[in-house]
Amino acid sequence: MALASIFEKIVGSNANIAFMAYDGSKAGPDGADLALEVKSPIAVAYLAQAPGELGLARAYISGHIDVHGDMYTLLDRMWNITTNDLTTSEKLDAVRALGVKPLLMRVPPPPQEMRQSALARLGSRHAKQRDAEAIHHHYDVSNRFYEWVLGPSMAYTCACYPTEESTLEEAQYAKFDLVARKLDLKPGMRLLDVGCGWGGMVMHAAKEYGVKALGVTLSRQQAEYAQKAIADAGLQDLAEVRFMDYRDVQESGFDAVSSIGLTEHIGKANVPSYFEFLYGKLKPGGRILNHCITRPTGKEKTFNKGGFINRYVFPDGELESVGWLIRQMEDTGFEIRHEENLREHYAKTLRHWCDNLDANWEDAVQEVGMGTARVWALYMAGCIVGFERNKVQLHQVLGVKLDANGRAGVALRPSIDWP
């Protein structure tokens, strides 16, 4: 069995994908708009070591597999690939065709992969030092690289599109404003924004609502960027971003807390204490807006140790269902006042980020290297497919810390234009 035919068997002959291999073999339809090129035996070795998603990712990131055509379309067609689809006789034919050497070749993962042994030396999952390293791995890539991918807003969370035609910048502004309106921000209030990124929510609250806002992040590069942006905007009397763990915030008595894209990094075992901590930071009557990626049900695994996302993108990241998260918020003492799913909005956000990366590809490769640029291309395109196919969701949940008399301080029917 020729090498290209083996890959066609794995992916499926109906995927309309062409295959080319270093042994000169070809498979798939002539004139296909997509092609996979297997460039060396190392690609086969990666697949032998980690059949399926992780092996293919390693081969692509290291340059031993090339993709010709649109990455999103490729991943959409290859969504359910697995070597388990091969019969035993087909697997034996594949071994005979490949020879033993590629199957026994031990090759290290690409340097972009976060080694589990390195994380283990920093303590158990979600220990402070280990969390700091996980955040550093993903966020301290290059602020310039993030500017190219994210655009002027430097917002690395799901946007909210007022219309199908809205630009990314318009949608990110709308997202921050939606959070501000749900929190009912007013001049003179105090906001705590945990996992604040490059300071987008902090600056929006200060500039548009006159709120005194404190943001915290475990990324030093984010904190330095945000503090400069705050100074450049003349908002230093109202806005501040600190390089620190949210658990080390000493202040309390906040009127509102925003958590935009941090819960995914907390870890399921720590979620109850996370909400308890934030509950303790709020005044009675204060509001919390939790915005995070979730699983669509409570049946899926929350943590995939051997998955591409865990190894290359978000080490130690865990996703729970929105129902489970709401229960933890309620058990902490929050009354839930509003909830919505922005799943389709995240697919649109990721499309814009992919377009930005494509438009700045050569500069991005020069800035962070081909391997890291390929991690991003693969990860973001795959996430579009995940959100479109309802494998993951994005939920905003609004909670209130009731006062001693059980009052929420929420209008009977809010007049603002919530979806």
Side-chain angles (χ1 to χ4, degrees):
M1 185 185 296
L3 183 56
S5 297
I6 294 171
F7 273 78
E8 185 182 39
K9 285 278 189 181
I10 294 172
V11 174
S13 59
N14 297 322
N16 194 29
I17 300 172
F19 300 89
M20 303 168 285
Y22 61 87
D23 64 354
S25 62
K26 295 183 178 181
D30 293 333
D33 59 336
L34 291 168
L36 271 182
E37 182 181 2
V38 185
K39 301 180 70 174
S40 81
I42 294 177
V44 180
Y46 276 133
L47 277 168
Q49 292 176 28
E53 168 193 298
L54 184 59
L56 282 169
R58 286 171 172 171
Y60 171 70
I61 291 162
S62 61
H64 296 287
I65 284 181
D66 270 347
V67 173
H68 303 281
D70 181 64
M71 177 65 76
Y72 160 77
T73 305
L74 178 76
L75 296 180
D76 192 45
R77 293 181 191 175
M78 292 175 58
W79 181 252
N80 290 317
I81 64 163
T82 170
T83 53
N84 293 331
D85 292 337
L86 297 180
T87 66
T88 301
S89 63
E90 286 173 334
K91 289 179 180 178
L92 290 174
D93 287 343
V95 170
R96 281 191 286 268
L98 294 170
V100 176
K101 185 176 180 180
L103 303 180
L104 298 179
M105 189 186 302
R106 301 301 298 175
V107 289
Q112 291 77 17
E113 184 168 321
M114 173 59 77
R115 308 297 175 87
Q116 300 302 297
S117 58
L119 283 176
R121 287 195 292 271
L122 299 175
S124 59
R125 259 195 289 154
H126 304 294
K128 284 186 177 180
Q129 187 178 2
R130 180 161 167 167
D131 274 354
E133 179 57 30
I135 294 299
H136 166 73
H137 172 82
H138 187 71
Y139 292 98
D140 289 343
V141 175
S142 159
N143 283 335
R144 182 178 296 177
F145 174 79
Y146 276 109
E147 286 177 336
W148 288 324
V149 174
L150 304 180
S153 71
M154 286 296 279
Y156 186 33
T157 48
C158 174
C160 183
Y161 288 79
T163 70
E164 289 286 346
E165 293 74 31
S166 297
T167 66
L168 176 62
E169 290 306 303
E170 289 168 344
Q172 291 292 12
Y173 181 96
K175 183 267 301 295
F176 288 133
D177 211 58
L178 180 62
V179 172
R181 286 181 287 122
K182 286 181 176 180
L183 291 172
D184 196 26
L185 296 183
K186 292 182 173 65
M189 284 185 169
R190 295 173 61 226
L191 169 71
L192 173 63
D193 185 37
V194 290
C196 67
W198 289 269
M201 183 65 211
V202 168
M203 294 179 65
H204 187 92
K207 181 180 179 180
E208 304 295 339
Y209 290 85
V211 168
K212 190 170 181 61
L214 168 63
V216 294
T217 173
L218 276 175
S219 166
R220 185 184 297 276
Q221 288 187 21
Q222 285 183 337
E224 291 172 351
Y225 183 101
Q227 279 297 95
K228 183 179 184 304
I230 287 168
D232 290 346
L235 295 171
Q236 54 267 56
D237 290 341
L238 288 175
E240 178 188 1
V241 168
R242 298 177 190 165
F243 169 53
M244 68 187 302
D245 193 296
Y246 78 91
R247 290 166 284 194
D248 295 328
V249 173
Q250 296 299 309
E251 295 93 330
S252 59
F254 290 94
D255 297 281
V257 170
S258 51
S259 173
I260 307 175
L262 179 58
T263 314
E264 301 92 328
H265 300 286
I266 297 300
K268 186 169 187 175
N270 298 319
V271 167
S273 60
Y274 172 68
F275 286 126
E276 287 171 9
F277 180 86
L278 298 181
Y279 186 87
K281 293 297 174 184
L282 282 168
K283 292 179 178 178
R287 300 185 186 188
I288 181 173
L289 191 288
N290 194 69
H291 167 124
C292 73
I293 302 170
T294 70
R295 298 292 186 198
T297 75
K299 298 177 181 179
E300 296 91 357
K301 289 193 303 183
T302 64
F303 177 66
N304 183 7
K305 182 178 180 180
F308 162 70
I309 293 289
N310 183 62
R311 296 294 184 94
Y312 284 89
V313 185
F314 295 117
D316 289 344
E318 295 184 60
L319 302 181
E320 292 82 35
S321 72
V322 66
W324 187 86
L325 289 169
I326 286 175
R327 173 54 55 84
Q328 308 315 306
M329 293 178 71
E330 289 176 329
D331 288 351
T332 298
F334 288 113
E335 181 182 56
I336 305 305
R337 302 299 304 216
H338 190 266
E339 187 281 328
E340 66 176 308
N341 185 357
L342 299 176
R343 175 171 67 86
E344 294 86 355
H345 293 258
Y346 216 157
K348 287 180 66 66
T349 305
L350 285 154
R351 282 190 179 279
H352 277 119
W353 291 343
C354 285
D355 290 344
N356 287 346
L357 179 58
D358 287 344
N360 295 282
W361 182 257
E362 291 183 4
D363 288 335
V365 169
Q366 186 172 356
E367 177 72 13
V368 301
M370 180 64 79
T372 298
R374 285 189 169 203
V375 167
W376 276 78
L378 183 60
Y379 139 64
M380 293 195 299
C383 285
I384 296 173
V385 180
F387 281 104
E388 286 182 343
R389 291 175 175 256
N390 195 32
K391 300 300 180 182
V392 280
Q393 300 177 347
L394 188 289
H395 286 264
Q396 285 192 352
V397 180
L398 177 68
V400 178
K401 179 178 180 177
L402 303 178
D403 69 15
N405 296 311
R407 290 189 291 258
V410 176
L412 288 177
R413 288 298 301 147
S415 60
I416 56 177
D417 57 339
W418 294 359

